[in-house]
């Protein structure tokens, strides 16, 4: 839903950018929808996922394994595609309680550490967005969200600015 929440082609001023984010999607959904994307042999593929998996009680290591499986599929079926793996963002249950994420903030931290290792192991670019969005308490900065999970416009601008150098 985070990716889906923005018009990335407009934010990045690039008509070739295609947004494949879906609200509520989990990593298995990414895998199931990958083939039509890879048929187009994209030049670049930006991946971010995992928080919805956390809400289904999936561990950070399991998220990393599923993401690595996805990256291996991309590399096999579209070897010229450059892959960019983005960290998961924090959430903030003080703004609104997401009961399936209650007391699960540390899973994001653990998952991001495991995802960074996946990026190194697979030779893909790691983009650590987490520090740009987290407050001193390890939660999504309040001014960037109205529900503790999804981003407001200012959050998308921060995200855009972080990935823009990789898009060009």
């Amino acid at each position: 839903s985070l990716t889906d929440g923005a018009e990335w082609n407009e934010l990045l001023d690039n008509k070739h950018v295609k947004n494949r984010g879906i609200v509520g999607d989990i990593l298995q959904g990414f895998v199931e929808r990958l083939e039509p994307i890879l048929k187009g042999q994209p030049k670049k593929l930006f991946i971010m996922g995992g928080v919805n998996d956390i809400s289904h009680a999936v561990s950070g290591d399991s998220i990393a394994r599923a993401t690595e499986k996805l990256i291996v599929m991309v590399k096999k079926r579209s070897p010229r595609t450059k892959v960019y793996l983005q960290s998961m963002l924090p959430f903030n249950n003080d703004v609104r309680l997401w009961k399936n994420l209650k007391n699960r903030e540390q899973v994001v931290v653990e998952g991001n550490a495991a995802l960074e290792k996946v990026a190194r192991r697979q030779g893909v670019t790691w983009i650590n967005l987490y520090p740009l969005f987290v407050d001193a308490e390890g939660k999504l900065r309040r001014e960037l969200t109205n529900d503790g999970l999804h981003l407001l416009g200012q959050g998308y601008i921060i995200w855009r600015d972080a990935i823009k150098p990789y898009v060009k």
Side-chain angles (χ1 to χ4, degrees):
S1 59
L2 289 174
T3 300
D4 185 47
E7 295 295 336
W8 288 102
N9 58 336
E10 292 177 14
L11 276 172
L12 295 163
D13 194 28
N14 184 332
K15 67 180 180 179
H16 300 290
V17 171
K18 307 292 182 212
N19 186 344
R20 298 295 185 233
I22 293 180
V23 173
D25 207 3
I26 58 173
L27 288 164
Q28 183 58 41
F30 291 22
V31 171
E32 292 168 2
R33 293 183 296 106
L34 189 59
E35 200 55 46
I37 294 167
L38 296 182
K39 279 184 182 177
Q41 298 288 297
K43 289 183 183 176
K44 299 178 180 185
L45 183 66
F46 290 77
I47 300 170
M48 183 218 265
V51 171
N52 288 330
D53 295 87
I54 292 171
S55 74
H56 290 90
V58 174
S59 70
D61 284 338
S62 293
I63 289 166
R65 282 193 299 275
T67 302
E68 189 159 21
K69 176 183 171 184
L70 181 74
I71 292 169
V72 168
M73 289 174 65
V74 171
K75 291 171 78 174
K76 181 179 179 183
R77 292 189 173 96
S78 187
R80 292 189 181 138
T81 298
K82 181 135 175 73
V83 176
Y84 299 84
L85 180 57
Q86 301 168 93
S87 67
M88 290 182 280
L89 301 186
F91 51 86
N92 189 331
N93 272 323
D94 294 340
V95 176
R96 173 182 162 197
L97 178 61
W98 295 88
K99 65 181 180 177
N100 291 339
L101 292 172
K102 187 175 182 184
N103 300 319
R104 309 265 305 149
E105 291 85 357
Q106 190 59 30
V107 180
V108 173
V109 174
E110 294 163 1
N112 281 340
L115 287 169
E116 185 175 11
K117 290 176 185 173
V118 166
R120 277 199 305 268
R121 193 164 45 246
Q122 291 298 323
V124 302
T125 301
W126 171 247
I127 304 173
N128 191 7
L129 299 170
Y130 184 87
L132 304 174
F133 291 86
V134 72
D135 67 14
E137 296 175 0
K139 300 175 182 180
L140 178 59
R141 292 171 28 205
R142 281 182 179 264
E143 72 273 14
L144 302 180
T145 184
N146 63 0
D147 68 1
L149 184 60
H150 300 97
L151 298 175
L152 295 171
Q154 183 185 357
Y156 283 107
I157 297 301
I158 292 168
W159 188 357
R160 178 208 59 199
D161 291 348
I163 67 169
K164 204 171 197 176
Y166 302 102
V167 174
K168 298 292 176 195

